Each structure stands twice: as C-alpha cells, then as structure tokens.
Amino acid sequence: QSVLTQPPSASGTPGQRVTISCSGSSSNIGSNTVNWYQQLPGTAPKLLIYRNNQRPSGVPDRFSGSKSGTSASLAISGLQSEDEADYYCAAWDDSLNGWVFGGGTKLTVL
Amino acid sequence: QITLKESGPTLVKPTQTLTLTCTFSGFSLSTSGVAVGWIRQPPGKALEWLALIYWDDDKRYRPSLKSRLTITKATSKNQVVLTMTNMDPVDTATYYCAHHLHYYDNSASWDYWGQGTLVTVSS
C-alpha cells in the first residue's frame, strides 16, 4: 500500500480535461513539493511536473499541476491518445526521510 | 545531455546478493546538489524508492529495506552501485537508477531516468 493515494484509473475522450488526485499527509505533501511522472507502456517514467506546478522543457502546457494542503492534482487538458499512460505522484517524506510515490493512475483515452 | 544506464544480472537465486551498477554521463556526482538513486517497480505495480546517494556521500535508504541495502559511488568512473542482500522472489522488479536534482528552494525531483533493468528472483 502506497503512502500517497491515487485513484487506480481515470479516463476521458479526446479533447476532454481530466484530473488525477494525489492525497498524502503533513509529513510529505503537506510540507514538501510534489512531482508527477508519466510512464508510457514499457518505458521508464518521465518527469512531467516538478515543484508542484513547474513543467520541464518540452512538456506541453496541456499538463498542469497544483497543490493544496496535503493533496495535489495533475490536470491534462485537450486529452490526446498519446496521453494514455500511467501517472505517478511523488514527494519527499520528512518522517520516513525518503521518497514516497503514489500507487499510480492508469489513464485511458476512450 | 544526461544519460543513465543500469547493468547487472537478470536472474538471481533466493538468498543471493544482487549487485546493480548505474553508469551515467552528462553530470558529475562531485557537483554540489547532485545525487543518484534507485527506484524499483515490480511487474504491474507501483514505483518504490530504494536508496539515494548525494555528492557529499550522504546516503538515504528506504526504512523497510535499510538492513539489506548498500549504495556507493565511484565518482571517477561515473558509477553508482546498489547491493541488496538476501534476495527473495518478491524483489522481482525492474530496477531504475535516476538523477536526483535539488532546486534552489531545497525541493528536488528525479529528472532523468535510466531505461531500467528487469531482475527476476527465482531458483
């Protein structure tokens, strides 16, 4: 069982906006920034959002992140078929003195 | 351009020790703020952080696995090595090494990942 809680699945149709939630606690999301990773089938994870809402160079602005209290969200607007992937949130945990990940959300584009 | 690549055995027997090497390029592990770590992913399951080594040789381990893990660096070779003792079938996973970057506000992220290496534990 993961320290950060994500819904196991999400779906949307092309062009729609979908959000994926990530719930934690005061020792992780509540006191540290959140990163999001995209993992396409059969590939390594890729950094999608860092420091809650920053996009690395090359990541489309269709992807956005936010954080409030002990929860964070990833939003994908203008959904495309190539967005079909697993998405993971991650944060440093001060109590564990290490990184914690969410259980992952499988996004299906219908 | 930062790249990382994992190497090591694809099959280990239960109770054996696993040794994985991460060979990287495009950065130096002697640069302040830089670290390299390991994250694994059992088949069909979530990512799980294992260990982290900083430029100043500070180390962090997943608490539940701390007694089994050792992470070391060979700065001149641009390598980081992870050893995990007493391997069990539940340790079957794809093992990734990744570049860990600290930002100015002390936040951090895993910004570059290796391709991963699948390790199967079976007799």
Side-chain angles (χ1 to χ4, degrees):
Chain A
Q1 191 168 356
S2 302
V3 172
L4 303 181
T5 301
Q6 297 179 235
S9 63
S11 63
T13 56
Q16 268 191 331
R17 182 178 187 269
V18 297
T19 61
I20 297 171
S21 62
C22 175
S23 177
S25 68
S26 58
S27 64
N28 41 67
I29 295 178
S31 50
N32 296 293
T33 59
V34 176
N35 304 318
W36 289 91
Y37 298 89
Q38 178 192 57
Q39 187 175 33
L40 297 170
T43 69
K46 167 191 167 187
L47 180 63
L48 199 63
I49 297 287
Y50 66 98
R51 291 178 63 227
N52 302 327
N53 54 21
Q54 301 299 301
R55 285 186 307 277
S57 174
V59 173
D61 59 6
R62 302 186 296 105
F63 295 90
S64 62
S66 64
K67 181 185 119 171
S68 178
T70 59
S71 294
S73 292
L74 172 70
I76 309 171
S77 60
L79 199 60
Q80 299 180 3
S81 58
E82 55 260 41
D83 298 333
E84 195 161 280
D86 294 324
Y87 293 84
Y88 293 91
C89 58
W92 182 265
D93 191 295
D94 292 334
S95 295
L96 297 176
N97 204 19
W99 284 92
V100 291
F101 285 89
T105 298
K106 183 176 183 61
L107 175 64
T108 301
V109 181
L110 302 170
Chain B
Q1 178 192 4
I2 290 177
T3 64
L4 305 100
K5 188 172 184 179
E6 307 85 354
S7 59
T10 57
L11 178 66
V12 297
K13 290 180 167 44
T15 75
Q16 284 187 336
T17 294
L18 170 69
T19 299
L20 293 173
T21 300
C22 175
T23 303
F24 56 84
S25 63
F27 66 94
S28 172
L29 201 38
S30 62
T31 301
S32 178
V34 174
V36 172
W38 292 88
I39 298 134
R40 71 178 179 180
Q41 185 174 36
K45 296 189 177 181
L47 300 168
E48 182 178 74
W49 169 73
L50 298 176
L52 175 62
I53 187 165
Y54 291 90
W55 81 99
D56 60 359
D57 210 37
D58 191 15
K59 302 167 187 177
R60 297 285 185 269
Y61 295 102
R62 185 178 188 81
S64 60
L65 295 173
K66 186 175 182 178
S67 64
R68 298 174 54 204
L69 295 172
T70 302
I71 189 169
T72 59
K73 62 182 175 73
T75 305
S76 61
K77 293 183 180 179
N78 282 350
Q79 290 182 333
V80 169
V81 176
L82 180 75
T83 61
M84 180 180 290
T85 61
N86 195 24
M87 292 292 285
D88 183 272
V90 300
D91 297 313
T92 293
T94 295
Y95 287 76
Y96 296 99
C97 68
H99 176 267
H100 183 270
L101 181 64
H102 265 275
Y103 302 102
Y104 66 91
D105 59 356
N106 207 36
S107 62
S109 73
W110 301 98
D111 59 343
Y112 291 92
W113 296 60
Q115 64 188 25
T117 184
L118 176 60
V119 178
T120 302
V121 184
S122 174
S123 55

